[in-house]
Amino acid sequence: MVIAPGTRLGPYEIKAPLGAGGMGEVYRARDTRLGRDVAVKVLPQHLSASPEDRARFKREAKTISALNHPHICVLHDIGQEGETDYLVMELVEGETLGQRLARGPMPTADLLKLGAQIADALDRAHRAGVTHRDLKPGNVMLTKNGAKLMDFGLARASRRSDPAGGSDATATAQAGVSKSDGPITAKGAIVGTYQYMAPEQLEGKSADARSDIWALGCVLYEMATGKRAFEGSTAASIISAIMRDQPREMAELAPLTPPAFERAVLQCLAKNPDDRWQTAGDLRRELLWIGETGSRAGVPTPVAARRAGLERVVWALTAGGAALVIALLAWRAGKNHDQQFNFTPLTFKPMVIGAARFMPDGKTIVFSGGQNADTPQVFVIRPEYPEPQPISEPGVELLSVSSQGELAVLVESPNPGKSMKFGLTLARMQLGGGAPREVLQNVAEADWSPDGSQLAVLRKIEGKDQIEFPIGNVLSGVEGEVSNIRLSPRGDRVAFFVHTNQHDAGGSVNIVDLHGRRALLSGGYLMLSGMAWSPDGREIFFSAGRVGPQDFAVYAATPSGKVRRVAESAGGLRMEDVGRNGRWLATRNDARSAVMVHKPEWSQDRDFSWLDESEGGRLSRDGSQLAFTERGSAAGKQFAACLRRADGSPVVRLGEGEVLDLSDDGKWVLTGMRSEPPQLAVISTGAGGMRRLNRGPLVRFGGGSFLPGADSVVIGGFEPGKAQRSYIQDFSGRPPRPVTPEATYCGFSVLDGKNVWAVGIDGHWFKYPINGGTPVPVPALHGRDYLVWLGPDGRSALVKDQFASTVGRIEQVDLTTGLRKPFLNIEPASRSGLVMSLLTDISDDRRTYSYTAVWETSTLFLVEPEK
């Protein structure tokens, strides 16, 4: 029956219908006594057919109402108005799981989380003696707080006809399939929905907790694959499939399904109840374990990631020219294999090499490189002529080659002020020459689809990295700071790196399919550099090291997460491409980074480095001491926070972590610890020890600096699923508090003590008052500006172009008039192979400054496995 709005059922005034099914109609109603909205379910007449059934129903409703659980819909009340029996339940806003699955399968991380919540709700009910008997997607609501299990236990409403258990009373009750669950509807047989009913229920036997576990297995299967575990065109064919058949392997329908998850679901779907999970609590723990372990067992846990753009310092692999060639020629596979490789050098002059790719003929090779990192151009190597020949003007960087021989390249953006990090434009270019044709702005990387008709791109939108394929279609399931995107040979998956910390080359190897289901294949690497799919799509080759250059090797991972060590060497190669005939393109990079200090009284800048990979110097205000990070392999996986005085005295190793700032008085260093999730700490430069800061909700950090007084810091941080913003973190133990909107950046949080100076993704700068108030625009600063120094009076600033990767050209900006003039060119004595010279700090008198310089030379090799 249909109840009109305005009708009163006891104290509840009907407002509007919400839905209907075999178990009754549901309405939104107003509780006139408590002034709250509720859901009222009007029960069908068969549930009130006899006084005995009604008494039993009331007893069970009383039991269910006592189930206090965050993932169970609360039963508030039961009542009767005339001949109408009704239930009063919590009003849950959201959509049903059935409605969500109508849009396709769910990302693995989501289904594991929601599945564990449903299992937890079932476990709570089962321990209270309540069995659901009609678990299906239509009876699960998805809310902002997770899953809510509805209609709990109400299917059991009449007595058992066979005291021995041969027939459940539900066999005489009404059954129906909701519109969201499919077209099949059966009347007068069994309560529930056939597709989710256990074999013992279909045989008319008693249903218990293990019957609910079967139903949850069916639901989990559907969440992962988008298909029902058991299907048919009629009720009889569905029942037959449930009783006799096994569901299709999940790997056929959803290749990224973790094997451990598929095993857990199959155990739910064992025909014999004794072979299933015996409690929902056990299943919940299994799902949580799969989610936590990542890799082969399950899916990745959230990765705290921050990819440094132009400020990521290139890690040093090794040095010693002739010795490297010998090591390469002796390169072998892992200890248990005898595979050897032949190496043919393809470049012969010192240069910095970017991407390298095979052309479709498998013989012609294109790559981008230049004497310095900021002057790349595209070269071609043809079989008939071994010397690389330029085919583009300087300023063009190769990204990918299509199966049709077309190049995807990056060129300088004509409108760079609109981007904070990605200031380049994607363009298409023919091998035969001609100017690149621009396609899309603010792109970092791109890769062609197998047929050469579409491009996958990596962009930063509203402060978040996103992978689009094709362009404009954002792939869900991708979180963190991403690099090295590569499409599979079938075009159905994208492989990529997620990086663990700011300025970091380490992290994990991941894939995501076109439905947004993501899997972490392998993680925990200190170094990651270059990847390529095998031609058959069965493996992804990548270069990585867990400790440092000494264990750098080439690995191969299958899409299911099986990882093998392919080859290793003294030093290592960066994987560039894999040809159809099994040959590789790989680049050998020899790099060194150094922390340099300039004083006007010195005849030349001095190297304050410790080992082979020092970076990020921060000066005390008087310029008398320098704090910096040592990333060299000897410093350890957690890096080393170091201090050196300007008089050249020996380095003091303060502790682990990456140096973010040095306090004005030189007594404290702010560091970022490479934990999971990352941790901020302050370390005394004297005898004060170390103090860890309260992370609060933050899962990633993006730089930080001390406020005047050295009792608090301003940091760039990320809350789960949100873009970066600035936070104030004091040392009292309280959690950080936000002071800027999302998607705002402030470099290293340079500030005047009263305001945080931050720029949004739209390129507009504002001063945000630390203690609250209206932000003030700073029109004199542009989106490309990286703020490195701010005058005490707030009237002048020093900025660098954040997209100028090599020479650190510093401008002085009059913040009142907007006038600019050159202030400084930071240029080491040696420019050959210079990748970057980045100003990191400057003293108050603007006469002493520190900078990081990185030099790199590369050699491109053709790598051929010996037959």
Side-chain angles (χ1 to χ4, degrees), residues 157-320:
S158 55
R159 67 184 181 278
R160 214 177 269 157
S161 60
D162 182 356
S167 176
D168 197 315
T170 56
T172 63
Q174 180 183 24
V177 181
S178 71
K179 292 180 180 179
S180 63
D181 290 318
I184 302 171
T185 302
K187 300 288 185 179
I190 303 172
V191 167
T193 306
Y194 288 121
Q195 290 94 336
Y196 308 95
M197 297 185 71
E200 63 270 18
Q201 287 177 281
L202 296 173
E203 290 177 340
K205 297 178 182 178
S206 289
D208 59 19
R210 296 170 299 178
S211 305
D212 282 349
I213 292 172
W214 167 284
L216 181 53
C218 293
V219 171
L220 292 172
Y221 183 97
E222 190 170 343
M223 292 168 72
T225 66
K227 303 289 185 182
R228 292 197 177 95
F230 304 98
E231 293 188 298
S233 58
T234 65
S237 62
I238 294 172
I239 293 172
S240 176
I242 291 172
M243 301 302 294
R244 298 182 311 174
D245 299 339
Q246 293 296 323
R248 289 176 62 186
E249 292 187 10
M250 288 188 185
E252 295 181 14
L253 301 172
L256 299 186
T257 302
F261 176 75
E262 184 165 9
R263 288 194 297 271
V265 173
L266 290 178
Q267 188 170 343
C268 294
L269 299 178
K271 307 297 185 186
N272 186 340
D274 292 336
D275 295 332
R276 297 175 202 151
W277 298 97
Q278 295 302 291
T279 72
D282 290 339
L283 175 58
R284 170 184 172 273
R285 285 186 286 273
E286 181 75 3
L287 296 176
L288 290 175
W289 174 80
I290 294 170
E292 289 168 356
T293 54
S295 189
R296 280 180 266 177
V299 298
T301 54
V303 178
R306 173 71 179 164
R307 187 190 67 258
L310 297 171
E311 293 160 14
R312 179 184 297 160
V313 176
V314 179
W315 38 265
L317 292 178
T318 184

Side-chain angles (χ1 to χ4, degrees), residues 269-545:
L269 299 178
K271 307 297 185 186
N272 186 340
D274 292 336
D275 295 332
R276 297 175 202 151
W277 298 97
Q278 295 302 291
T279 72
D282 290 339
L283 175 58
R284 170 184 172 273
R285 285 186 286 273
E286 181 75 3
L287 296 176
L288 290 175
W289 174 80
I290 294 170
E292 289 168 356
T293 54
S295 189
R296 280 180 266 177
V299 298
T301 54
V303 178
R306 173 71 179 164
R307 187 190 67 258
L310 297 171
E311 293 160 14
R312 179 184 297 160
V313 176
V314 179
W315 38 265
L317 292 178
T318 184
L324 300 182
V325 176
I326 295 172
L328 288 171
L329 294 176
W331 211 33
R332 297 174 62 87
K335 297 179 181 178
N336 299 324
H337 303 279
D338 294 325
Q339 178 70 63
Q340 292 185 338
F341 301 85
N342 294 321
F343 292 82
T344 303
L346 301 174
T347 57
F348 308 96
K349 297 178 181 179
M351 64 169 55
V352 180
I353 295 177
R357 299 289 186 266
F358 288 106
M359 291 296 289
D361 63 6
K363 300 177 181 179
T364 305
I365 295 163
V366 292
F367 70 94
S368 57
Q371 182 180 5
N372 302 300
D374 62 351
T375 58
Q377 61 185 129
V378 181
F379 294 82
V380 62
I381 302 173
R382 293 184 169 89
E384 67 273 13
Y385 192 73
E387 183 181 5
Q389 298 295 307
I391 59 172
S392 78
E393 296 295 325
V396 180
E397 182 178 354
L398 177 68
L399 294 178
S400 181
V401 174
S402 78
S403 58
Q404 307 302 314
E406 189 175 8
L407 311 185
V409 298
L410 285 180
V411 297
E412 183 70 14
S413 174
N415 188 19
K418 294 297 184 181
S419 173
M420 262 302 295
K421 283 180 69 72
F422 295 4
L424 300 175
T425 294
L426 173 66
R428 301 168 67 160
M429 176 179 164
Q430 298 298 324
L431 181 63
R437 179 166 58 88
E438 296 179 358
V439 176
L440 184 68
Q441 293 183 15
N442 299 333
V443 173
E445 299 177 14
D447 199 26
W448 286 100
S449 62
D451 63 0
S453 64
Q454 302 284 351
L455 281 161
V457 299
L458 171 63
R459 297 206 289 164
K460 184 176 285 294
I461 302 297
E462 295 182 352
K464 299 179 182 179
D465 281 7
Q466 65 183 36
I467 298 174
E468 301 177 16
F469 179 64
I471 292 173
N473 178 51
V474 179
L475 297 184
S476 61
V478 177
E479 294 181 356
E481 300 290 331
V482 177
S483 73
N484 285 259
I485 64 169
R486 297 300 297 269
L487 267 168
S488 67
R490 294 174 56 185
D492 59 345
R493 288 168 284 190
V494 181
F496 57 97
F497 295 149
V498 172
H499 298 281
T500 51
N501 282 312
Q502 188 180 23
H503 313 314
D504 200 352
S508 60
V509 184
N510 302 257
I511 56 175
V512 64
D513 68 11
L514 304 188
H515 297 292
R517 291 172 295 196
R518 170 181 162 185
L520 183 151
L521 305 187
S522 188
Y525 296 103
L526 181 65
M527 300 176 179
L528 286 166
S529 184
M531 70 162 64
W533 287 83
S534 63
D536 58 12
R538 294 181 178 179
E539 290 186 306
I540 302 158
F541 290 86
F542 62 97
S543 305

Side-chain angles (χ1 to χ4, degrees), residues 68-115:
N68 184 15
H69 190 277
H71 299 298
I72 296 177
C73 181
V74 177
L75 178 64
H76 292 313
D77 195 6
I78 61 173
Q80 184 177 12
E81 184 74 22
E83 297 297 321
T84 303
D85 288 288
Y86 60 89
L87 304 171
V88 182
M89 300 171 293
E90 171 189 9
L91 182 64
V92 180
E93 303 286 357
E95 65 176 346
T96 69
L97 178 57
Q99 291 169 331
R100 166 59 186 84
L101 293 179
R103 301 195 298 272
M106 305 182 74
T108 310
D110 292 347
L111 71 90
L112 284 169
K113 179 181 72 173
L114 295 171

Side-chain angles (χ1 to χ4, degrees), residues 311 313 501-504 595 608 610 613-621 625-632 635 637-644 651-664 666-674 679-685 690 701-706 713-715 747-749 786 838-841 850 852:
E311 293 160 14
V313 176
N501 282 312
Q502 188 180 23
H503 313 314
D504 200 352
V595 174
F608 271 57
W610 183 30
E613 198 177 346
S614 302
E615 66 159 59
R618 307 294 284 177
L619 289 163
S620 59
R621 288 303 89 199
Q625 54 186 349
L626 178 81
F628 64 92
T629 304
E630 177 56 53
R631 292 170 170 262
K637 190 173 182 179
Q638 295 295 329
F639 302 154
C642 303
L643 186 76
R644 179 168 251 167
V651 169
V652 177
R653 179 171 180 164
L654 301 174
E656 294 182 337
E658 177 184 2
V659 170
L660 302 179
D661 197 21
L662 178 65
S663 63
D664 288 350
K667 294 182 178 180
W668 296 94
V669 172
L670 175 65
T671 65
M673 311 294 288
R674 289 174 53 83
Q679 174 69 55
L680 290 182
V682 287
I683 303 176
S684 171
T685 60
M690 183 184 74
F701 298 105
S705 61
F706 284 97
V713 293
V714 58
I715 55 178
F748 276 57
S749 303
Y786 183 90
L838 172 70
L839 179 69
T840 56
D841 205 2
S850 63
T852 297

Side-chain angles (χ1 to χ4, degrees), residues 681-746:
V682 287
I683 303 176
S684 171
T685 60
M690 183 184 74
R691 180 187 304 168
R692 294 180 183 269
L693 304 183
N694 185 346
R695 293 177 40 254
L698 303 185
V699 295
R700 291 187 283 142
F701 298 105
S705 61
F706 284 97
L707 286 162
D711 58 358
S712 57
V713 293
V714 58
I715 55 178
F718 300 77
E719 296 182 47
K722 296 182 179 180
Q724 181 174 334
R725 64 197 302 186
S726 295
Y727 297 79
I728 299 298
Q729 169 76 72
D730 62 35
F731 301 163
S732 66
R734 290 192 294 267
R737 61 179 178 86
V739 291
T740 69
E742 280 191 63
T744 50
Y745 303 81
C746 50

